[in-house]
Structures are given as C-alpha cells and as structure tokens.
C-alpha cells in the first residue's frame, strides 16, 4: 500500500503543477500526431523532476501515464457522441490481489445486470460474486444504467470475494443475509407495540436514554435502517468490509426515507456516514468514492445538530464528551485523507493534526482497563469510563455506574408510561390504577377485564368486582374490534380459572382442562362449574345455538384460529429478534469503542506523505 500511496502522491503533485501552469499534455507541443512524446515533453519531465527532487525517469513515467489517460478520455468522449457507447472505469477490489482498473463500454439504456456480467467475465469470476457501487449506491440488476445515474466516464467500485469455497459461500449469502436482516426488522417494526416493555432492541433512544417516539409512517424505514446499520458495523468489526459496505449503503437508503427532524434527535445517521466512509478507506477506495467528501460534511453538520456547538448539549446530558471524541477523531482523520487526495495539503495537515490530538486524548492505560474488567465491566465499557474520567479508575467506575442507573431510570419511566397508556383512563378522567389491576388479576380475573371494570368504576375495586360478576355486558371494550370481542361473554372477557377451584374439581375426578373451561364459563362459581360437568358427563358441552357466539362451535373455532395466528406471530417475532440479537451488538455505546490501532496506522501513513 505504501508504494501505491507514494505513486498517488506523485500524480496529485503533477496534476497540481499542470493545472497551475495550464499545461495540456494531450495537445502540441507535448505530443506527436502518432501520440508519441516530444522533446518539450521530456524537458517538462526533467523540470518537474528537479522541482520535486525526484528521479527523472519516475516523473517521466508518471507524466506519460497522465498524458495517455487524457488521450483515452478524449477518445472516449468522441466515441460516445458518435456511437452512444459510454465508457466506464471500474476499480475491482479482489482480496489477496492488487486492485485492478478495468475499462468497459456499454450503452446507457442497458440493464445493470449486463454491466455486472461483463465485469464478472473480465475478472473471471461468477456473476453473483460481483457487487458494483457507484456514488454511494449499489447497482441493481434490473433498472437501466441511465436510470441508476451512470454517465459516460463514470468510475465505479467492484467488490469481489476470494475464491475459496468458504468465501464463495459467504458471498452467495451476502444479499440473503441482508434480506433476512431487513425482513426481521420489518416484522418487528410492524408489531412493535405488542413487544415486551423491556425489549431494548425495538426502542430508539437519544443520548440521555430517553425514548424517541416513532411516527407510524416512518417506523419501518427507521428500524430497518438501524438494524442494517448495526449488522454492517458487526461485519466491519470482523474486517469483512465488502459485506459491511453493502449493508451500510442499504441502511443509508432506508434512513434517507425518514424526516431529518427524526434523525437529528440521535447521532445514528451521522455515525452511519462515518462508517460508510471508513469502509471505503479500508477497501482502499476512498479516493475513488465521489460521495465521501459530502458524507463527511453531512456527518460534521449532523454532529453539531445532535451534540450542540462545542458539545454543550452532549456534556449537559452525559457530563462528558470524552467518548464521542472517537467519532470526531475518525471524522478529522477521514477528512484529512480526503483533503490529501484532493491536493488540499494545508487542509489535510490541519485535519490530520486535529485527528492526532483527539487520538492522543483517547489513549488509556491497559492496566486500568483490566482493573475495571475485574469489577465486572466489559473492555469497551472500561475504555469508555477511563476516557470520560481522564484515566482515573475510581471515577471511571462511578461514571459507568451512574450512566447505567440513569439509563435504567429512563427506561423504567418509559415502561410505566406505556403501561399507563395501555390501561387507559377512567370515566372521570383519572388514570387506571395499575396496582388495583394487579390486585384483581391476583383474584383470578383476566387483566383486560380488570382494566375495563376499573375504568367503568373509576378505580373502585368493589364496584369493579360487582360489574364483572353481575353486569359484564357493561364492559364491552370500545377500543377492540368487533371480531375480537363480539360479546361480553367471549373468551377475552372470561375470568381466569382459580387454581384452588381447579384443584378441587381435579380432586373430584374431573379432567384439568375441562375443569378450567367449566370455571371460565361459570365465572369461577364452583357450583355452576360442577353442574356443567355433571350435565356433560365430565365434559363441558358447548351449545349448538348459532345465536350464541360465545358457545357456538363456529365461534369457538374462530377464537382458536385467532389464538393460533397470535401465537404464530409471537413465535415469528421471537425468532426474528433472536436472529437480530445474534447478528448485532447489544452493549451500550459499542459504536464509540475502538482500540485505535487502525486509526494510528492510517494517520502515520498519510502524515509521512505530507
């Protein structure tokens, strides 16, 4: 890589000199009619070699490379105007090999799959192992090249996996994995209100741990985008940057469908722009990523919106901005590298110097990290605490404990608020008392029925019990659809069978399930339950009266079908959540942790070039 960077550095310097002196290498007096070099060209190479203190042959070859490139561009433009065939230059990144530059010509009205197939043939790999990226987007097989924004002279990235069977299998499953993540997150987003209150994955929180409420129209795109982002970060941690980049770009596409006001309340979108740019860098493709500079500028603006000028909003929330310096360090480092490749050397030096300053402030003592790990904190949390506490172990421990307690309080407040809203309000406008609901549930009544009774009785327990036992028809829940609660005596409004009464009926020799059914239908009156069981010879006989939906066979079948569908959806959600949890991290602020090793290597390389 060092030699490639040195060669790129020479080309950058030569382009700057040519632009400054307005030299056009593709015109006379620097080229012959047969595209050969002239004495003027040789003199120019010798002059630049002295200016740059380099060998004449090295500068001569670099100038010739730039000259031939200009001639080729001019020829391509003329051919495009005449034939309609656009020229594309593709940088193919193949693990274990040097990056290859490929030139192909296609008409802009052909489908994306035709260009993908041509590149695969040129490289000598299977078509399904090539992923094309242009201007921050993955080229799709079906739309035309023009519809996907490609123009004559465009430069693309081609990601190609290695040839080992294991790597080929991983490449073949790349999009299947992305589809699985997207489908799982979509499923969870559709049923987010049915999930448990302590399910942390499905909550979007700001920096203080406060839940950000999601508009229903944007919930899917936001949650799918965040899930793909987390999965992409997990791939990047494993240094699987081709997979990471594909996932991160898809996450960016999903989040772009959300309003900016939602994204400004959290730093996820800014971090995503950094992660995409970092993947470009690790794939040695940052200079060829036309969208990198804009992404970094957007990230910098988003951090200011989220954290405030000089991080005052962040400090007010967290008490420290030390850990977020990881993001700023990467931002400055990436901006410095982009500026270097744009030949903005003064800007590059400034950004790299700021990156180095932040990096030095982030270093922590490894012995202190191990000490905190012995106290039960993870390595990432230990580094986070030490950075926030300026290296003081005791302060770091207290900082981490306080942060955990703060988040727990915020989540408990959110859980109670959701519980309060789910229980509803009484007829007099007061909130239904959750403790009274729990009390009625303890007496054997269904939670939903208990909540309805307390709403109608304005939190009077005795009146609520009377309504359940004597006037259940008053407890029709207007919030439920008619197919869920067709009558007050439907399954959802029946009393849960009392375990003691079930035991008594079992002692009489009745089957457990039949005993429970009889108690439900008789509202826990044991004499009524016994009468039903005796009349049915030990079994509860359902009435065939079609006018009674609570006892007709059709209604029972319908309720069983509904229960089956609910159970099936619940299992699907549990499996989806399990797959997502296995694929992504679960540790708090994991995105702020880094060992600094890669950052130090890139910083040293580009500082040496400057």
């Amino acid at each position: 890589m060092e030699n490639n960077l040195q060669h790129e550095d020479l080309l950058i310097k030569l382009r700057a000199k040519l632009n400054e002196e307005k030299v056009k290498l593709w015109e006379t007096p620097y080229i012959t009619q047969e595209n050969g070099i002239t004495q003027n060209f040789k003199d120019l190479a010798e002059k630049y070699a002295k200016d740059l203190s380099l060998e004449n042959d090295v500068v001569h070859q670099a100038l010739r490379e730039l000259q031939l490139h200009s001639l080729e561009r001019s020829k391509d433009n003329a051919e495009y105007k005449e034939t309609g065939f656009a020229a594309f230059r593709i940088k193919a990144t193949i693990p274990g090999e040097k990056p290859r530059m490929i030139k192909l010509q296609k008409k802009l009205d052909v489908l994306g799959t035709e260009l993908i197939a041509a590149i695969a043939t040129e490289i000598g790999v299977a078509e399904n192992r090539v992923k094309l990226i242009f201007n921050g987007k993955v080229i799709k097989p079906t739309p035309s090249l023009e519809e996907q924004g490609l123009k004559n002279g465009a430069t693309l990235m081609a990601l190609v996996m290695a040839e080992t069977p294991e790597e080929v299998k991983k490449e073949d499953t790349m999009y299947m994995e992305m589809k699985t993540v997207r489908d799982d997150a979509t499923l969870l987003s559709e049923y987010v209100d049915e999930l448990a209150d302590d399910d942390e994955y499905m909550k979007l929180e700001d920096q203080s741990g406060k839940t950000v409420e999601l508009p229903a129209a944007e919930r899917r795109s936001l949650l799918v985008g965040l899930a793909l982002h987390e999965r992409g970060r997990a791939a990047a941690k494993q240094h699987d940057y081709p997979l990471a980049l594909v996932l991160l770009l898809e996450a960016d596409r999903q989040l772009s469908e959300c309003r900016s006001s939602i994204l400004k309340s959290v730093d996820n979108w800014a971090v995503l722009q950094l992660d995409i740019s970092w993947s470009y860098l690790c794939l040695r493709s940052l200079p060829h990523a036309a969208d990198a500079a804009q992404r970094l500028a957007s990230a910098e603006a988003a951090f200011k919106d989220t954290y405030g000028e000089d991080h005052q909003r962040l400090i007010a929330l967290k008490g420290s901005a030390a850990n977020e310096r990881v993001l700023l360090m990467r931002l400055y480092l990436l901006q410095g590298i982009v500026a270097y490749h744009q030949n903005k050397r003064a800007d590059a030096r400034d950004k790299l110097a700021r990156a180095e300053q932040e990096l030095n402030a982030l270093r922590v003592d490894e012995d202190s990290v191990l000490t905190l790990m012995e106290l039960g904190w993870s390595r990432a949390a230990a580094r986070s605490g030490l950075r926030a506490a300026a290296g003081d172990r005791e302060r770091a421990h207290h900082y981490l404990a306080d942060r955990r307690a703060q988040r727990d309080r915020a989540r408990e407040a959110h859980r109670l608020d959701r519980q309060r809203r789910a229980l509803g309000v009484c007829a007099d406008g007061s909130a239904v008392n959750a403790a009274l609901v729990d009390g009625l549930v303890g007496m054997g009544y269904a939670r939903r029925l208990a909540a309805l009774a307390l709403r109608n009785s304005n939190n009077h327990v005795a009146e609520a019990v009377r309504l359940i036992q004597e006037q259940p028809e008053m407890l029709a829940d207007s919030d439920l659809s008619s197919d869920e609660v067709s009558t007050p005596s439907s399954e959802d409004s029946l009393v849960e069978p009392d375990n003691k009464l079930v035991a008594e009926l079992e002692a009489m020799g009745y089957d457990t399930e039949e005993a429970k059914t009889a108690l439900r239908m008789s509202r826990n009156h044991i004499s009524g339950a016994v009468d039903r069981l005796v009349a049915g010879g030990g079994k509860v006989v359902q009435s065939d009266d079609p006018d009674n939906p609570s006892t007709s066979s059709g209604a029972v079948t319908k309720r069983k079908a509904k229960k089956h569908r609910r159970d099936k959806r619940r299992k699907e959600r549990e499996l989806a959540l399990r797959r997502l949890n296995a694929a992504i991290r679960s540790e708090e602020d994991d995105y702020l942790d880094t060992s600094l090793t890669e950052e130090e290597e890139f910083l040293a390389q580009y500082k040496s070039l400057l």
Side-chain angles (χ1 to χ4, degrees):
M1 178 184 174
E2 194 70 34
N3 291 334
N4 290 336
L5 281 176
Q6 289 174 352
H7 181 66
E8 177 67 21
D9 183 58
L10 175 57
L11 295 179
I12 290 172
K13 291 175 180 176
L14 290 176
R15 288 193 192 99
K17 282 186 168 294
L18 292 170
N19 290 333
E20 182 181 348
E21 299 177 12
K22 298 182 180 179
V23 174
K24 297 180 180 179
L25 292 177
W26 61 93
E27 295 181 354
T28 55
Y30 302 103
I31 194 166
T32 66
Q33 290 184 348
E34 294 78 19
N35 293 338
I37 60 174
T38 65
Q39 186 60 42
N40 294 80
F41 181 92
K42 295 177 181 179
D43 294 342
L44 185 67
E46 186 176 353
K47 173 179 177 293
Y48 286 169
K50 290 180 180 179
D51 292 344
L52 299 174
S53 301
L54 294 172
E55 294 181 6
N56 186 50
D57 288 344
V58 174
V59 176
H60 185 283
Q61 291 175 7
L63 273 179
R64 181 60 171 168
E65 180 182 337
L66 292 175
Q67 185 183 56
L68 293 176
H69 180 74
S70 299
L71 288 170
E72 187 178 17
R73 288 275 188 184
S74 179
K75 179 183 176 183
D76 290 341
N77 290 335
E79 189 171 347
Y80 173 66
K81 290 179 181 179
E82 182 179 347
T83 66
F85 278 89
F88 303 111
R89 286 166 179 79
I90 301 99
K91 181 184 180 183
T93 302
I94 307 173
E97 299 182 20
K98 289 184 178 180
R100 293 170 55 184
M101 290 301 297
I102 302 168
K103 177 188 170 184
L104 290 173
Q105 289 180 299
K106 293 287 179 183
K107 289 195 173 184
L108 294 176
D109 58 358
V110 303
L111 298 180
T113 186
E114 188 170 329
L115 180 60
I116 295 171
I119 293 171
T121 301
E122 183 73 21
I123 300 173
V125 299
E127 182 179 335
N128 62 351
R129 293 177 53 209
V130 176
K131 303 295 178 282
L132 279 184
I133 294 174
F134 171 69
N135 202 24
K137 296 180 181 178
V138 178
I139 296 298
K140 299 177 182 178
T142 49
S144 70
L145 300 179
E146 189 172 24
E147 289 173 332
Q148 300 189 63
L150 271 71
K151 297 180 180 179
N152 178 49
T155 300
L156 300 90
M157 289 174 55
L159 303 180
V160 185
M161 301 299 287
E163 294 182 350
T164 63
E166 294 80 7
E167 292 295 325
V168 171
K169 182 179 179 181
K170 181 168 64 176
E171 170 68 6
D172 289 338
T173 60
M174 177 186 291
Y175 276 109
M176 287 303 298
E177 181 168 355
M178 183 171 69
K179 182 179 183 299
T180 299
V181 172
R182 186 194 297 112
D183 291 347
D184 287 344
T186 300
L187 175 66
L188 291 173
S189 70
E190 290 172 351
Y191 299 109
V192 65
D193 290 330
E194 299 179 29
L195 297 175
D197 286 326
D198 59 351
D199 178 7
E200 294 303 324
Y201 180 77
M202 294 308 298
K203 293 188 180 71
L204 179 68
E205 297 178 346
D206 63 17
Q207 275 62 45
S208 67
K210 181 181 178 182
T211 299
V212 177
E213 296 299 333
L214 303 174
E218 299 179 35
R219 177 182 293 165
R220 178 191 173 278
S221 292
L222 192 58
L223 292 180
V224 171
L226 295 179
L228 288 167
H229 184 190
E230 292 296 344
R231 185 62 190 92
R233 287 186 58 81
K237 271 187 169 290
Q238 300 298 320
H239 300 285
D240 191 351
Y241 291 108
L243 173 60
L245 184 56
V246 172
L247 290 167
L248 294 172
L249 290 175
E250 177 63 15
D252 184 61
R253 188 184 70 81
Q254 292 284 344
L255 291 183
S256 66
E257 298 177 8
C258 300
R259 287 177 297 149
S260 60
S261 58
I262 296 294
L263 299 179
K264 283 182 179 179
S265 61
V266 290
D267 59 5
N268 298 72
W269 189 79
V271 174
L272 175 59
Q273 306 313 307
L274 276 189
D275 289 338
I276 291 173
S277 301
W278 185 257
S279 296
Y280 283 146
L281 177 62
C282 293
L283 288 167
R284 316 303 185 204
S285 298
L286 190 61
H288 305 282
D291 56 316
Q294 181 57 47
R295 288 187 185 279
L296 294 173
S298 299
E300 186 173 26
F303 283 136
K304 287 182 180 179
D305 289 337
T306 307
Y307 298 155
E309 290 289 342
D310 300 322
H311 309 138
Q312 77 272 13
R313 190 178 303 129
L314 180 65
I315 293 172
L317 288 171
K318 287 191 172 183
S320 169
N323 284 290
E324 277 66 17
R325 298 180 84 163
V326 169
L327 303 177
L328 298 178
M329 178 269 294
R330 274 201 174 181
L331 174 66
Y332 297 145
L333 176 60
L334 289 164
Q335 286 178 327
I337 294 173
V338 169
Y340 163 79
H341 287 287
Q342 294 175 338
N343 200 37
K344 299 176 181 177
R345 293 181 175 255
D347 190 22
R349 288 191 184 93
D350 175 63
K351 294 296 185 183
L352 292 180
R354 296 177 71 178
E356 186 172 25
Q357 181 181 356
E358 297 292 344
L359 191 147
N360 289 333
L362 288 166
R363 288 192 173 92
V364 294
D365 177 59
E366 186 61 24
D367 289 339
S368 298
V369 172
L370 295 175
T371 299
L372 288 175
M373 290 176 67
E374 291 174 358
L375 295 175
W377 301 106
S378 68
R379 180 176 293 276
R383 280 199 287 245
S384 170
L386 289 168
R387 286 166 180 164
D392 187 290
R393 300 178 188 180
E394 186 174 352
R395 283 176 52 206
H397 175 68
H398 289 303
Y399 169 82
L400 293 171
D402 290 344
R403 287 282 298 142
R404 176 183 287 175
Q406 180 184 357
R407 287 183 182 274
D408 289 344
R409 287 194 297 270
R411 288 167 182 164
E412 177 63 13
H414 172 71
R415 187 189 68 80
L416 293 175
D417 181 62
R418 281 194 64 181
Q419 184 184 69
R420 178 186 58 77
R421 286 187 282 117
L423 292 176
V425 295
C426 299
D428 61 4
S430 62
V432 173
N433 190 312
L436 297 182
V437 174
D438 291 338
L440 289 176
V441 171
M443 295 169 62
Y445 299 109
R447 177 171 293 275
R448 181 174 295 177
L449 188 63
L452 290 172
L454 288 169
R455 286 184 203 172
N456 283 270
S457 65
N458 294 327
N459 280 327
H460 291 290
V461 176
E463 177 65 11
V465 172
R466 188 190 69 79
L467 287 173
I468 293 172
Q469 294 182 345
E470 299 178 10
Q471 294 179 288
E473 67 277 359
M474 293 183 60
L475 303 181
D477 187 355
S478 60
D479 292 333
L480 297 176
S481 61
S482 59
D483 66 328
E484 286 184 331
V485 182
S486 55
T487 71
S489 58
S490 68
E491 185 177 278
D492 282 340
S493 63
L494 290 174
V495 177
E496 290 292 327
D498 187 296
N499 290 331
K500 292 182 180 179
L501 299 180
V502 172
E504 287 188 33
L505 292 175
E506 286 178 330
M508 297 179 190
Y510 294 113
D511 177 75
T512 302
E513 292 303 318
E514 295 295 335
K516 288 181 178 180
T517 302
L519 286 168
R520 286 194 189 100
M521 297 182 69
S522 60
R523 299 189 183 92
N524 273 335
H525 291 291
I526 192 166
S527 58
V530 171
D531 290 342
R532 289 177 181 274
L533 291 168
V534 170
K539 294 184 178 295
V540 178
V541 179
Q542 302 285 354
S543 170
D544 292 331
D545 181 7
D547 295 326
N548 186 347
S550 66
T551 57
S552 68
S553 59
V556 171
T557 302
K558 184 177 180 181
R559 288 197 299 272
K560 288 183 178 179
K562 282 169 53 183
K563 184 177 184 300
H564 175 72
R565 288 195 298 270
R566 286 197 301 269
D567 291 343
K568 183 179 179 181
R569 288 201 303 268
R570 187 180 300 110
K571 289 179 181 178
E572 288 175 348
R573 293 196 301 270
E574 290 172 354
L575 289 173
L577 189 59
R578 195 175 302 142
R579 284 192 296 267
L580 285 171
N581 282 333
I584 65 177
R585 56 90 180 165
S586 58
E587 190 172 336
E588 297 288 358
D589 292 343
D590 180 70
Y591 69 103
L592 299 176
D593 180 55
T594 174
S595 65
L596 305 178
T597 302
E598 289 179 306
E599 290 85 349
E600 288 174 335
E601 291 177 356
F602 282 119
L603 181 63
Q605 288 170 354
Y606 281 91
K607 278 184 63 181
S608 68
L609 293 172
L610 291 170

